[in-house]
Amino acid sequence: MTAAPPAAPPAKRRRPHPWVLWTALAIAAVIFLYPFVWLVSASLKPRPQVFDNRLVPSDWAPENYTAIWTAAPVWTWLFNSVVVALAAAAAVTISSAIVAFGFAYFRFPGRNVLFALVVGTMMLPGAVTMIPTYLIWNELGLAATQVPLWAGNLFGSAFYIFLIRQFFLGLPRELFEAARVDGAGYWRLFWRIAVPLCRPALIVAFVFELRASWSDLLKPLIYLRDPALFTMPRGMKAILDQFGQAGEARWEIVLAGAVITTVPMIIAFFLCQRYFVEGVATQARKG
Amino acid sequence: MNVAVRRRETWAAVGFLSPWLIGFAVFMAGPMVASLVLSFTDYDVLTSTDFVGGENYRQLLADPKVRSSIANTLIYTALHVPVTMVVSLALAMLLARVGRRSAGFFRTIFYLPTITPKVAVGVLFLLLFNGQVGLVNSALGSVGIDGPNWTVDGPWIKPGLVLIGAWSLGSTVIIYLAALQNVPRDLYEAAEMDGASRWATFRAVTVPMISGALFFTLIINTIASLQTFDEVYTAFYGSANQQTYGNDAALFYVVYLFQQAFQFLHMGYASALAWLLFVIIVVITVVQVRLSRRFVYYENE
């Protein structure tokens, strides 16, 4: 029985002991971190010991990481991923900022309806437009290139338009009016005033898309045929197919690959943690 | 504002909006219509295309794989979304009780799995949940439970995926924590003065005050969950030694859609599948919006 003595005055509610709180958080933290530790540790074990589930390898096998470099063109894949992710993030940030400024600064008939439409497209499942989008790139002769992985981002994306517009709306209008009086054009208002003042929002959009693009598997599966063009996740899938699963059962290579796929995102996260958290929190505020 | 200025402003606005307007026409509205049209054809890229009327939809209703992939996806969603929401809320409530610095520290830990690429999550799933040598079963074994074959046995695949899915709940935690931190303190003080039990306070203060965030995560987690692809495809589908492999218990809807469209090139049929998915998502979202109107509390109303 855990009930308090019946005579206890109800006014003073018993708070849980702090150690209950800290223990619960610590257990949760271990559960969330353990798979990473397991992954890194197992990736450094020789093949027969990969599944021994020991926290610290009994024999170290850092050569797994040299083996993967000869087994698969990992540098090429990493390079491809970096290029694609940077292009995707830059494209979506710039185009979304332009569109967001259009919605934030100008007053024109039908603005609210149009903006509602923008927000509504956030609900549109990507799977529905997947096939015709493929056919468009195919028609343009770009279906087997990396272009479809980022070029769709040149047209803005609803979530980022929403996010950046919120920031633009927070700027005092007098700022723009003063510049107008001085003869500044609209582009100048956008590029010289709005953009520099809303840099944090732009960084949020950039890092969010960087992550999304880096992690994407579906588009690379659809578009990329030539292994020399693979992004890291697509390459990772190829490694899994060849060395794990129905393949050669060299799981230490698969594990090293999984670490290599993940580490750049972990680094990016620690560099821009603030922006990741801000981006997620903003997501909720639109709800 | 005079008419000339207003007109100039409108044209400038159109200029700024043009990327989105073009993108909407070319990559959203156009493809929506195109996939609807395609869904009435037998388009397969290679041979000539014929209009086949409702044939694809008839085939789709009779296709056992459509039925099982819908069932798999719905079962997974029905488990994954509540588990994610409940665990996230529990974690967020713990975080709301510690100081901001500690909360930030733990929040980082809870968010790390979310930024892990889903391909790596799929690999981790295969290995940690492996029936013979996986960490999960050896942990279960140490308390005397004989764990199932999570990655092989049909009925255990979805529960396993729900567990690994719960690992990536970091965004939901952040959203709830932000919402909890916005609940006015005096509401809790008032509840305490009234002698409300902790459960009563939770139901009468916490839940209504964060209902907006709960509703939002319900909608986005459901939509995302219905389109689960990356980690499932990684773990269960692919080709090795020129042979494709797969596991029907892990046949999620988008996996089947992808196979039909890009492996078998049945693009007409896959377009019908895509439209069915769209309809399913719209219906589920509308139902959720309707239901939650009764529960969501908006401060400004």
Side-chain angles (χ1 to χ4, degrees), chain B residues 197-239:
Chain B
S197 72
R198 207 172 293 140
W199 175 243
T201 311
F202 174 74
R203 287 208 30 195
V205 178
T206 309
V207 170
M209 291 308 290
I210 65 164
S211 54
L214 293 173
F215 171 57
F216 175 70
T217 56
L218 173 72
I219 302 272
I220 57 162
N221 281 329
T222 304
I223 294 178
S225 193
L226 291 170
Q227 298 183 73
T228 303
F229 177 84
D230 286 359
E231 61 272 48
V232 176
Y233 189 85
T234 302
F236 295 104
Y237 289 88
S239 58

Side-chain angles (χ1 to χ4, degrees), chain A residues 138-158:
Chain A
N138 197 29
E139 205 56 40
L140 294 172
L142 295 168
T145 70
Q146 294 168 343
V147 174
L149 306 191
W150 57 268
N153 280 359
L154 287 169
F155 305 96
S157 170

Side-chain angles (χ1 to χ4, degrees), chain A residues 8-251:
Chain A
K12 192 127 181 94
R13 183 144 48 101
R14 293 189 319 146
R15 303 204 160 276
H17 276 292
W19 67 262
V20 176
L21 192 63
W22 290 108
T23 313
L25 277 173
I27 292 172
V30 169
I31 293 173
F32 276 78
L33 282 181
Y34 207 92
F36 288 111
V37 179
W38 184 92
L39 175 65
V40 173
S41 162
S43 76
L44 288 164
K45 293 170 185 171
R47 195 179 311 164
Q49 292 166 20
V50 163
F51 292 105
D52 66 3
N53 290 330
R54 288 170 62 105
L55 188 54
V56 179
S58 42
D59 296 304
W60 294 81
E63 63 270 19
N64 293 344
Y65 284 89
T66 44
I68 190 177
W69 250 263
T70 49
V74 177
W75 276 125
T76 309
W77 293 344
L78 280 173
F79 176 76
N80 291 342
S81 264
V82 169
V83 171
V84 167
L86 287 177
V92 92
T93 307
I94 295 169
S95 59
S96 300
I98 293 172
V99 177
F101 188 76
F103 278 113
Y105 177 78
F106 297 101
R107 289 162 198 163
F108 53 90
R111 182 177 71 163
N112 294 341
V113 177
L114 201 56
F115 189 66
L117 185 62
V118 172
V119 175
T121 62
M122 269 190 257
M123 300 278 175
L124 184 68
V128 182
T129 53
M130 194 163 82
I131 294 165
T133 306
Y134 172 83
L135 297 176
I136 292 172
W137 294 117
N138 197 29
E139 205 56 40
L140 294 172
L142 295 168
T145 70
Q146 294 168 343
V147 174
L149 306 191
W150 57 268
N153 280 359
L154 287 169
F155 305 96
S157 170
F159 169 56
Y160 304 120
I161 293 172
F162 179 88
L163 177 110
I164 299 169
R165 172 181 164 271
Q166 290 298 93
F167 272 73
F168 285 164
L169 286 176
L171 300 175
R173 216 174 161 79
E174 299 83 65
L175 222 56
F176 297 113
E177 265 145 30
R180 289 291 293 160
V181 172
D182 292 345
Y186 297 119
W187 181 256
R188 209 179 151 78
L189 299 186
F190 165 69
W191 192 245
R192 286 293 168 81
I193 300 177
V195 164
L197 288 173
C198 292
R199 201 171 293 152
L202 302 180
I203 299 176
V204 169
F206 190 86
V207 296
F208 247 62
E209 189 61 21
L210 199 64
R211 186 200 73 86
S213 169
W214 182 279
S215 307
D216 187 31
L217 177 64
L218 184 52
K219 276 207 212 84
L221 276 172
I222 293 175
Y223 291 102
L224 305 178
R225 296 275 168 268
D226 178 0
L229 295 177
F230 281 5
T231 57
M232 196 57 216
R234 179 64 188 89
M236 181 61 230
K237 180 57 183 148
I239 289 177
L240 177 66
D241 282 344
Q242 189 183 342
F243 297 107
Q245 287 308 67
E248 302 171 15
R250 291 170 67 189
W251 285 99

Side-chain angles (χ1 to χ4, degrees), chain B residues 76-119:
Chain B
Y76 173 77
T77 304
L79 291 171
H80 170 71
V81 175
V83 166
T84 299
M85 289 178 69
V86 169
V87 177
S88 301
L89 184 56
L91 291 174
M93 288 178 71
L94 289 174
L95 292 179
R97 282 168 170 274
V98 298
R100 282 203 179 235
R101 281 186 68 117
S102 323
F105 172 75
F106 283 108
R107 189 184 56 193
T108 300
I109 292 175
F110 298 151
Y111 193 68
L112 278 177
T114 310
I115 57 162
T116 306
K118 291 286 186 231
V119 181

Side-chain angles (χ1 to χ4, degrees), chain B residues 4 13-14 47 52 55 109 120 126 128 133 152 170 185 212 217 274:
Chain B
V14 170
T47 60
V52 295
E55 184 50 38
I109 292 175
L126 282 178
L128 294 174
V133 291
V152 183
R185 289 261 72 85
T217 56

